[in-house]
Amino acid sequence: MSAAPPVIEVRTSPHLHSGRSVNSIMRNVVYALLPLCAYSVWLFGLSALAVLAMSTACCLLTEHLICRLSGRETTVGDWSVVITGLLLGLTLPPGFPLWMVAAGSFIAVAPGKMLFGGLGFNAFNPALVGRAFLQAAFPVAITAYTPALALHRFSELIPSTLAIPLIKAGPLAGWIARVRVDTFSGATPLMLRKFDHVTTDSWTLFLGARAGSAGETSALLILLCGAYLVARKMMDWRITAAMLGGAALTASLFHLADPVRYPGPVFVLLSGGLVLGATFMATDPVASPVTPLGMWIYGALMGLITVVIRFEGGLAEGVMYAILLGNALSPLIDNVTQPRIYGARSREAAR
Amino acid sequence: MSEQPAVVSCHAPGTALAAADNPFLNGLWKQNPVFVQVLGMCPTLAITNSVRNAFAMGLATTFVLVCSNGLVSMVRKMVPKQVRIATYIAIIATSVTVVDYLVKAVSIGVYKALGAYIPLIVANCIILERAEAFAGKKAVIPSMLDGLGMGLGFAFALTCLGTVREVLGAGTFLGVPLFGHNFEPWVLFLLPPGGFISLAIWLLTFTLWRQRRASVAASRAEARRPAPALAEVRS
């Protein structure tokens, strides 16, 4: 009886596998985003649903077509492009014209992700690449916010949603005056603060019944959804904590220096898309650093940039550019925060 | 029709000369300064936000190229090798000054729109590259033809970019509205990123088209050849 010769397999690390696949993690992120989508539809009605559906469908279609064209097997099955689509939809104003959503989705997936080589190679968060394009291309449409909890929101679309491609959407003021419920206005809390010097109540911000991008309104819900991912160990809490902490610290310093001009840290944390960005976009596993120290630096830096743009820049919101800048810096941060190899000595000590 | 693969690098003068069968068509198409050589990116990205500016810039550069190539070719045997670059620059700067005054005289509007980019033609690397790679070695007439071809190729490329940027960024072509007055402008295309994006779109289009043509030509050539030769090619 001859036994089979023993086989020695030589492989590089990692040697232990948790058994998780990219598919299952991405699918769980989609589950975590679904409550946010549901809440935004409840808050803003059919238009938010249309924007989310359009962005997801266009992202899926773009990725599928590009895989087809480049002769690869389609990669839409790994759910990552669904996340891109949902995140893009959640960061847009609910009444954003659908043809612009389609253009943004194409830019997000085609140059933002597939040009780099698909999932795992994108230098920037694809959803934010799409949004940055839309922000630069259509600065008026992307700041046309509508009030939350508008009348008839489940029976009629916001008029700008169905704007004809390439044609300007009409002004929304008349429509807003017709459907608004007493105090709810179309301006986001950040815009109110920056341009009208009105500070919104913190509880409203925390619970989320306010104007804003479709998915950014409720800090509570976003944190709960993030907690689900953290509990399942599918997301690193360090980046979120560092970004929120960095923003709070910077805002406190500004607030202490001039309490009249700058709002306090609680307002800064809860307004705008900071919580959404810190939870779901800054934590993009591809575009963020991998070392724990690097994550802290990366997060804190993004928090700082966000606050500086909000307070000193011309825009009301700075989360998007902060995260894109952070993404650009993350390979550098990874490089300088490499852990010491066990047993290795520094060059000076070796001499 | 079997076509030679386009020579991409023009930094080595020898390769540039090898493909120069017809100096005029060579610059216009086969070695288009923007789409093939990717030279002169500064005006290409900065001046193409409208068709009019882009075309005017292309014409100004064409004029400089024809003058400088002709003059460089005329003096090529008198200038010692060590000081040739300085001589070329003096010649180019002279032609640029002429263009500067010409544009000012013809249209003050265009002059103001192009601004600092007219004096900056002197630093456009296409011009020095053509003087060094072509005009410094060839007779006067082919050199001027080469300058004309390269210049018109540059103007063509700039107009292509300007078209994309003006149509999307302002909804007009040469100032004529295309989509009515309610057009939603893609402001991005008038900004610097729009220049990069439209350049990328055109480079992609042209490269794809060239590759397709080259592969069609190659497959035809292979089909005509006998079998043993085909095996040699593959090895």
Side-chain angles (χ1 to χ4, degrees):
Chain A
M1 209 175 139
S2 62
V7 176
I8 301 175
E9 243 185 88
V10 181
R11 276 195 284 177
T12 54
S13 62
H15 304 291
L16 290 175
H17 195 275
S18 67
R20 279 198 181 132
S21 62
V22 171
N23 278 10
S24 72
I25 293 180
M26 294 297 171
R27 206 174 54 239
N28 273 287
V29 178
V30 172
Y31 293 158
L33 285 172
L34 286 179
L36 295 182
C37 301
Y39 183 71
S40 73
V41 172
W42 179 74
L43 209 56
F44 297 110
L46 282 178
S47 281
L49 185 66
V51 166
L52 283 166
M54 188 74 178
S55 65
T56 313
C58 288
C59 284
L60 278 165
L61 192 68
T62 311
E63 178 149 331
H64 184 71
L65 284 181
I66 290 179
C67 286
R68 260 288 172 77
L69 280 177
S70 58
R72 275 185 288 172
E73 207 174 309
T74 181
T75 51
V76 292
D78 67 12
W79 291 86
S80 64
V81 72
V82 179
I83 301 178
T84 303
L86 287 178
L87 278 179
L88 179 65
L90 288 175
T91 56
L92 294 173
F96 203 61
L98 290 180
W99 68 272
M100 294 183 190
V101 177
S105 307
F106 176 79
I107 295 288
V109 175
K113 180 179 176 190
M114 301 313 282
L115 206 61
F116 288 100
L119 180 66
F121 301 99
N122 47 304
F124 299 97
N125 183 323
L128 286 181
V129 172
R131 196 187 191 278
F133 173 82
L134 291 175
Q135 168 99 53
F138 310 112
V140 178
I142 209 160
T143 46
Y145 289 101
T146 50
L149 298 170
L151 297 173
H152 320 301
R153 64 185 186 278
F154 296 118
S155 55
E156 63 174 327
L157 292 165
I158 299 172
S160 57
T161 303
L162 290 179
I164 306 159
L166 300 179
I167 301 297
K168 221 172 244 163
L172 284 172
W175 180 81
I176 289 175
R178 190 162 61 79
V179 299
R180 68 191 284 184
V181 183
D182 48 279
T183 54
F184 291 118
S185 83
T188 67
L190 275 174
M191 291 156 92
L192 284 174
R193 168 79 212 177
K194 185 147 194 156
F195 305 121
D196 303 328
H197 305 285
V198 177
T199 308
T200 314
D201 165 51
S202 295
W203 269 110
T204 312
L205 293 176
F206 189 61
L207 295 176
R210 61 168 172 94
S213 300
E216 70 175 20
T217 55
S218 172
L220 173 70
L221 195 62
I222 297 166
L223 289 176
L224 283 178
C225 294
Y228 164 76
L229 288 179
V230 171
R232 299 209 60 182
K233 298 199 169 142
M234 289 171 173
M235 191 181 89
D236 208 295
W237 58 274
R238 290 185 189 89
I239 296 174
T240 310
M243 187 164 175
L244 296 179
L249 194 70
T250 319
S252 313
L253 291 178
F254 271 102
H255 186 59
L256 283 179
D258 189 350
V260 182
R261 201 169 150 211
Y262 302 113
V266 177
F267 176 79
V268 167
L269 283 187
L270 298 178
S271 59
L274 184 60
V275 179
L276 181 70
T279 312
F280 285 106
M281 287 178 236
T283 50
D284 182 318
V286 184
S288 59
V290 291
T291 60
L293 177 63
M295 289 180 187
W296 285 108
I297 298 175
Y298 165 79
L301 197 72
M302 291 188 298
L304 174 102
I305 298 171
T306 305
V307 174
V308 170
I309 294 180
R310 278 189 191 175
F311 284 179
E312 300 297 333
L315 297 168
E317 177 60 303
V319 173
M320 173 182 74
Y321 291 121
I323 296 177
L324 287 173
L325 267 172
N327 287 344
L329 283 179
S330 75
L332 187 70
I333 296 175
D334 255 344
N335 249 350
V336 296
T337 56
Q338 283 300 311
R340 195 173 66 93
I341 298 165
Y342 181 70
R345 284 183 297 174
S346 70
R347 218 166 261 177
E348 285 86 50
R351 264 188 209 138
Chain B
M1 181 191 149
S2 68
E3 193 190 75
Q4 279 186 341
V7 179
V8 173
S9 164
C10 257
H11 300 289
T15 54
L17 291 174
D21 310 315
N22 179 339
F24 177 70
L25 284 180
N26 186 41
L28 195 65
W29 189 249
K30 225 176 194 175
Q31 288 195 42
N32 187 296
V34 173
F35 293 140
V36 179
Q37 305 186 46
V38 198
L39 288 175
M41 286 298 104
C42 178
T44 306
L45 294 169
I47 281 301
T48 52
N49 49 14
S50 76
V51 177
R52 194 181 67 145
N53 288 356
F55 191 64
M57 186 67 194
L59 283 190
T61 312
T62 307
F63 180 84
V64 174
L65 262 167
V66 174
C67 291
S68 71
N69 265 13
L71 284 170
V72 164
S73 175
M74 273 174 216
V75 299
R76 70 184 189 280
K77 285 176 184 152
M78 293 174 246
V79 180
K81 214 176 173 197
Q82 291 82 353
V83 295
R84 69 186 192 288
I85 300 288
T87 321
Y88 297 165
I89 293 290
I91 291 172
I92 294 167
T94 314
S95 344
V96 170
T97 312
V98 173
V99 160
D100 196 43
Y101 286 132
L102 261 180
V103 175
K104 211 189 270 183
V106 171
S107 162
I108 198 79
V110 171
Y111 182 79
K112 278 184 181 150
L114 297 187
Y117 289 94
I118 293 184
L120 277 177
I121 295 176
V122 78
N124 190 332
C125 46
I126 298 164
I127 296 163
L128 188 61
E129 188 261 323
R130 286 335 285 171
E132 172 73 4
F134 197 96
K137 303 185 175 72
K138 295 268 178 166
V140 177
I141 298 297
S143 294
M144 290 178 78
L145 269 179
D146 176 79
L148 189 66
M150 283 286 164
L152 290 182
F154 187 66
F156 166 67
L158 257 59
T159 312
C160 285
L161 258 88
T163 310
V164 169
R165 292 182 71 180
E166 192 181 331
V167 167
L168 282 179
T172 58
F173 183 78
L174 283 170
V176 182
L178 294 180
F179 304 98
H181 292 284
N182 265 333
F183 179 74
E184 169 83 46
W186 300 44
V187 183
L188 180 78
F189 277 92
L190 296 181
L191 302 174
F196 283 100
I197 292 174
S198 35
L199 177 66
I201 295 171
W202 279 114
L203 279 177
L204 182 74
T205 315
F206 273 79
T207 314
L208 272 181
W209 191 77
R210 268 166 201 283
Q211 277 181 355
R212 184 151 293 181
R213 262 188 69 170
S215 72
V216 167
S219 63
R220 271 189 200 158
E222 254 185 49
R224 257 187 250 126
R225 258 177 220 161
L230 193 137
E232 267 168 42
V233 169
R234 284 205 177 138
S235 68

